[in-house]
Amino acid sequence: MPISTSLRPGAPDRAVAHHSRYAALWDDYSQLWDRDPWFRQYKHLGDEWGSPQWVDHVIATYAQPWLSPSAEVVEIGPGGGRYTCELLSRAASVTGVDVSPRMLARASGRFAGNPKFHGMLGSGTDLAGIPSGTVDFVFAFNVFIQLLPEDIYSYFLEIGRVLRDGGVASIHYATLSSEEGWKHFDANRTQWSASPCARGRFTCLPMQAAELFATRAGLAVIRHQFVGRDAVLAMRNADAADSPAPGATRRDFRHIDRHLDELASDIYHELPTPHHREAARETVDEYLRSIEFESVIELGCGAAPTLDFLAAMGKRTKGLSLGFESCSHPILRADMQFSGLRDGATDLVVARHVLEHSPMPLLLLMEMARITTRYALVVVPCDEEIWVNWPNHYSVFGRPAWRRLFDRAGFTIEREGDGRLEPDSTEWRFLLKKKHNG
Ligand SMILES: C[S@@+](CC[C@H](N)C(=O)[O-])C[C@H]1O[C@@H](n2cnc3c(N)ncnc32)[C@H](O)[C@@H]1O
């Protein structure tokens, strides 16, 4: 691909394809970085854009939830590699696609000894060279803020193409919808209008426009939040059947979204103990052997011992989790409260020790009633003081309150009983049947 470097801010050359313009701008910056002594205070290009703490925060909030040691990752615009470095330590591979040969040379040089990194020179608008349906996670930070809207949409189409079912893209872009984003736009619009090809020119989209691009590209929005002046859009490539209905995101959930992020820091990883496995086996034997179902989805499945037993019974199993415990069933990476699964996606939905972790248990039960055609299996801890006070337990109720919630969510209780949670504590088990359903 011939790269034009003839273009300079303030001298737009309409004959030069815009992707070449991106390449020229960033090749220039790369050269400036080597030339200008001011940059010598930094080790790598990009370190001038934020502290290591900021990089940690971005990775923890906008990448970590969708990374796993087996994840195949694509990073658009890795630049000097400050995020790439973190992605590499949390994934199986990272393909860095950059439009600028000089920028790509930096990332490729920095990670030359790391077989997990692959550098790829891109056209600036597509992910050509990356096979369809092979990517678990696409990440871009500080890149889409400066792309033309047409190119943002082209990339979204490409993201939809390369993501596997259930894969996620987390894309940072500049928005008009935040207070600071609007001020930034308003303060700079005259200057941007005068030099539309300058590197510092931002494309500020209203949040609705970003979501429209996503939906039109066949992507389901799973999280959309401000990051300071800008925004990050998390999108999932689901089967058409698994996508939320159009308009599902039209309410403004930003505050709830922020509260859920705050609560996310309470989450701890529970190791699968032999005791938990035994309790799962007992529950399957007592409650699920005698009912008819073909498919099962387990919410918050963790290492998924219940699914192991059900798979051995010949059932079609699927797990849903934000964690990355190893598990041998197909996994949908999603927040259980916002699964995006279609109505009636399964015959049985299982929620073992997850409802007590939800700050919105009735809404979660309603979601369970929506996605199951027939049954739900719910296991919760008893209402002992210790569980009420345990971290990350927001919904520890007495039996009558649970029964009322099941009823309100559209379930009848088919069977209920007790079992051992820990040697000296009890769990309550409920087999629920969806009302008005054969
Ligand atoms: C501001 S730097 C950000 C680098 C890195 N993501 C970071 O935050 O440190 C923008 C990077 O995106 C690349 N880039 C710009 N436009 C691009 C496009 N259309 N497609 C792919 N990469 C692009 C640039 O070459 C540069 O490496």
Side-chain angles (χ1 to χ4, degrees):
M1 183 183 62
I3 303 292
S4 164
T5 50
S6 67
L7 201 58
R8 291 292 178 275
D13 177 356
R14 300 279 169 219
V16 177
H18 48 72
H19 58 262
S20 302
R21 173 169 71 82
Y22 297 137
L25 291 176
W26 288 102
D27 276 352
D28 276 1
Y29 188 76
S30 178
Q31 283 176 300
L32 175 72
W33 209 87
D34 290 332
R35 227 177 26 235
D36 187 331
W38 183 82
F39 289 110
R40 305 239 162 93
Q41 58 187 303
Y42 299 108
K43 185 151 182 226
H44 297 289
L45 185 150
D47 293 347
E48 65 275 23
W49 295 321
S51 65
Q53 291 76 14
W54 171 250
V55 172
D56 287 348
H57 166 73
V58 167
I59 290 290
T61 315
Y62 306 107
Q64 180 78 48
W66 300 292
L67 287 173
S68 72
S70 61
E72 309 280 348
V73 174
V74 165
E75 185 186 7
I76 302 173
R82 65 186 171 135
Y83 293 116
T84 325
C85 183
E86 303 304 319
L87 296 171
L88 279 166
S89 68
R90 293 165 170 83
S93 77
V94 177
T95 301
V97 180
D98 206 300
V99 73
S100 149
R102 286 183 191 277
M103 283 292 197
L104 187 64
R106 283 180 184 276
S108 300
R110 181 168 176 181
F111 306 115
N114 190 335
K116 292 205 243 172
F117 180 77
H118 313 282
M120 197 178 267
L121 188 62
S123 72
T125 60
D126 66 29
L127 299 171
I130 300 190
S132 305
T134 57
V135 177
D136 297 296
F137 183 58
V138 179
F139 179 79
F141 228 84
N142 282 336
V143 181
F144 282 61
I145 48 177
Q146 297 180 332
L147 302 193
L148 294 172
E150 299 84 332
D151 299 334
I152 293 178
Y153 180 59
S154 297
Y155 265 128
F156 280 19
L157 287 168
E158 280 290 89
I159 287 169
R161 181 182 67 76
V162 302
L163 280 181
R164 287 185 214 285
D165 281 351
V168 168
S170 185
I171 305 292
H172 164 248
Y173 72 96
T175 186
L176 288 175
S177 304
S178 72
E179 200 47 41
E180 300 95 305
W182 179 264
K183 281 191 196 142
H184 184 230
F185 165 77
D186 203 25
N188 288 284
R189 64 195 160 82
T190 313
Q191 185 197 333
W192 291 345
S193 168
S195 42
C197 293
R199 191 178 53 246
R201 186 203 195 287
F202 275 42
T203 297
C204 303
L205 297 178
M207 277 179 133
Q208 293 92 331
E211 292 199 5
L212 182 66
F213 282 166
T215 319
R216 290 281 174 180
L219 295 159
V221 174
I222 54 174
R223 222 165 72 169
H224 200 177
Q225 56 198 150
F226 292 139
V227 45
R229 177 196 63 194
D230 306 325
V232 176
L233 182 61
M235 307 171 281
R236 187 153 59 73
N237 182 15
D239 313 328
D242 277 357
S243 299
T249 54
R250 72 177 171 270
R251 287 199 187 168
D252 186 347
F253 290 115
R254 277 168 294 171
H255 299 298
I256 290 183
D257 209 34
R258 186 163 48 81
H259 301 322
L260 287 174
D261 277 347
E262 283 161 19
L263 293 179
S265 60
D266 282 359
I267 295 175
Y268 57 90
H269 290 293
E270 218 157 333
L271 293 175
T273 63
H275 190 82
H276 264 244
R277 202 174 167 79
E278 180 52 23
R281 191 196 54 73
E282 200 178 280
T283 310
V284 167
D285 285 347
E286 285 180 19
Y287 292 78
L288 302 181
R289 287 209 182 265
S290 54
I291 61 169
E292 272 185 32
F293 64 100
E294 312 258 299
S295 56
V296 52
I297 294 179
E298 181 171 13
L299 304 182
C301 62
T306 306
L307 294 184
D308 292 345
F309 296 119
L310 293 175
M313 286 163 58
K315 308 297 181 188
R316 216 166 53 244
T317 55
K318 191 167 187 170
L320 182 145
S321 176
L322 273 182
F324 29 86
E325 294 95 340
S326 74
C327 141
S328 54
H329 307 270
I331 287 276
L332 194 56
R333 298 273 167 216
D335 182 319
M336 61 187 173
Q337 282 132 166
F338 303 95
S339 72
L341 288 162
R342 66 180 160 83
D343 294 358
T346 185
D347 302 333
L348 166 71
V349 58
V350 171
R352 277 189 76 242
H353 292 293
V354 297
L355 271 154
E356 66 268 31
H357 301 304
S358 172
M360 42 178 104
L362 176 58
L363 294 183
L364 179 50
L365 281 165
M366 290 165 77
E367 273 296 278
M368 290 168 62
R370 186 183 67 75
I371 63 178
T372 184
T373 55
R374 282 183 232 167
Y375 294 108
L377 177 77
V378 168
V379 179
V380 288
C382 66
D383 58 350
E384 284 168 352
E385 183 91 13
I386 178 177
W387 299 118
V388 176
N389 288 321
W390 205 258
N392 192 27
H393 284 52
Y394 315 113
S395 305
V396 180
F397 308 131
R399 272 180 190 273
W402 279 119
R403 291 189 191 116
R404 178 64 67 86
L405 290 180
F406 299 148
D407 178 51
R408 286 190 176 165
F411 289 112
T412 54
I413 299 174
E414 188 87 343
R415 263 188 84 182
E416 64 175 278
D418 295 341
R420 283 287 189 65
L421 167 55
E422 295 296 338
D424 53 356
S425 186
T426 305
E427 65 180 23
W428 291 331
R429 300 165 180 168
F430 300 90
L431 177 63
L432 308 176
K433 188 156 188 203
K434 188 168 166 167
K435 286 184 202 169
H436 316 301
N437 206 298

